[in-house]
Amino acid sequence: METVYLAIVLAPLLGAILAGLFGRLIWRRGAHWVTILGVATSFVLSLYVFKYMVIDGNPAFNGSVYTWLVTDGIRMEVGFLVDRLTTLMLLVVTFVSLMVHIYTIGYMHDDPGYQRFFSYIALFTFAMLMLVMSNNFLQLFFGWEAVGLVSYLLIGFWYKKPTAIYANLKAFLVNRVGDFGFLLGIAAIVLYFNTLDYAEVFSAAPSMADAGIEVFPGVQWSAMTVICILLFIGAMGKLA
């Protein structure tokens, strides 16, 4: 199943690369076909995962795909956590993205940036899937950052319009505020749990319920509360 999970994530990325780098060679029709086929592949495979996980009742998958750094026992990995909730989100993300890709054929029909737009929305799908399927906080941050980056590109897609440039700048600045909170929250997780893995953090969370952190001199706050607030700030920064 690990190959299936990788294919779900990489299929839209492949379409985005082909449409973005070779858009002039494959023309408009080629750009929308490679991206639609990539997202459609992810959707069909998500249906298969839904059958495997929910209907057949197989256990959840939690594993590392690639470890790119280990420092002081902290592993920085690309990994997937696929359970029933993740399976549902996979169906939602891939189906909605597929409908958006199909609708875009008509919506962007006469736009000179046709191939570029398809590349962006396919890349957005890849970022969302990385976020949804992540099994660690570092990959979660990467997913959020990638979603923010593509949102920035899409908001400023018509970069010759002053309103698009203004909205683009606003989104960039708000996202940086969110990033600051997110990074502080992840740093606090590493400090208190010495791991970035979801499963390890969640299993150790009950024992950390009474752990305190001094935010202001002489004032003790619950470390878990501070971590949750910081991560919430990061999430709201992206959604804003």
Side-chain angles (χ1 to χ4, degrees):
M1 289 297 293
E2 186 176 321
T3 304
V4 174
Y5 301 141
L6 274 173
I8 290 174
V9 171
L10 295 180
L13 178 61
L14 177 61
I17 292 173
L18 292 175
L21 297 182
F22 306 103
R24 292 185 179 181
L25 297 177
I26 61 178
W27 301 96
R28 290 173 170 243
R29 184 180 297 271
H32 70 235
W33 273 116
V34 293
T35 51
I36 288 175
L37 285 175
V39 176
T41 300
S42 295
F43 176 63
V44 171
L45 292 176
S46 296
L47 288 174
Y48 172 74
V49 172
F50 179 83
K51 176 184 179 301
Y52 176 83
M53 192 77 62
V54 178
I55 298 177
D56 296 343
N58 287 292
F61 174 86
N62 183 15
S64 171
V65 176
Y66 176 72
T67 301
W68 58 276
L69 181 64
V70 179
T71 174
D72 290 335
I74 300 173
R75 303 179 67 86
M76 300 182 184
E77 303 174 325
V78 175
F80 298 139
L81 172 60
V82 184
D83 54 16
R84 294 191 173 197
L85 177 60
T86 305
T87 302
L88 178 61
M89 291 304 300
L90 287 177
L91 288 176
V92 172
V93 170
T94 54
F95 176 75
V96 172
S97 179
L98 180 59
M99 295 301 102
V100 170
H101 277 70
I102 294 172
Y103 176 79
T104 300
I105 295 176
Y107 182 74
M108 298 293 291
H109 185 266
D110 297 319
D111 196 282
Y114 189 87
Q115 294 97 316
R116 181 163 55 93
F117 193 86
F118 271 96
S119 176
Y120 287 172
I121 58 175
L123 189 61
F124 186 89
T125 306
F126 161 74
M128 282 295 297
L129 291 173
M130 286 293 287
L131 189 158
V132 167
M133 297 175 68
S134 64
N135 75 340
N136 62 84
F137 286 95
L138 188 63
Q139 186 173 325
L140 174 69
F141 181 74
F142 166 78
W144 272 115
E145 281 299 291
V147 167
L149 170 63
V150 183
S151 297
Y152 171 84
L153 295 174
L154 288 170
I155 292 170
F157 182 80
W158 289 290
Y159 54 86
K160 295 183 179 180
K161 294 183 178 180
T163 53
I165 296 173
Y166 174 77
N168 212 6
L169 178 61
K170 179 182 176 182
F172 177 82
L173 294 176
V174 172
N175 279 340
R176 297 296 71 77
V177 174
D179 290 345
F180 184 67
F182 222 143
L183 285 172
L184 287 178
I186 293 174
I189 289 172
V190 173
L191 177 65
Y192 281 89
F193 294 93
N194 200 42
T195 182
L196 290 166
D197 185 81
Y198 287 168
E200 295 179 14
V201 171
F202 296 154
S203 63
S207 64
M208 298 294 295
D210 298 327
I213 183 173
E214 191 172 300
V215 180
F216 302 104
V219 180
Q220 284 286 328
W221 283 33
S222 166
M224 295 294 293
T225 300
V226 173
I227 290 172
C228 290
I229 290 174
L230 290 172
L231 294 178
F232 178 77
I233 291 172
M236 289 301 100
K238 294 298 181 185
L239 294 177

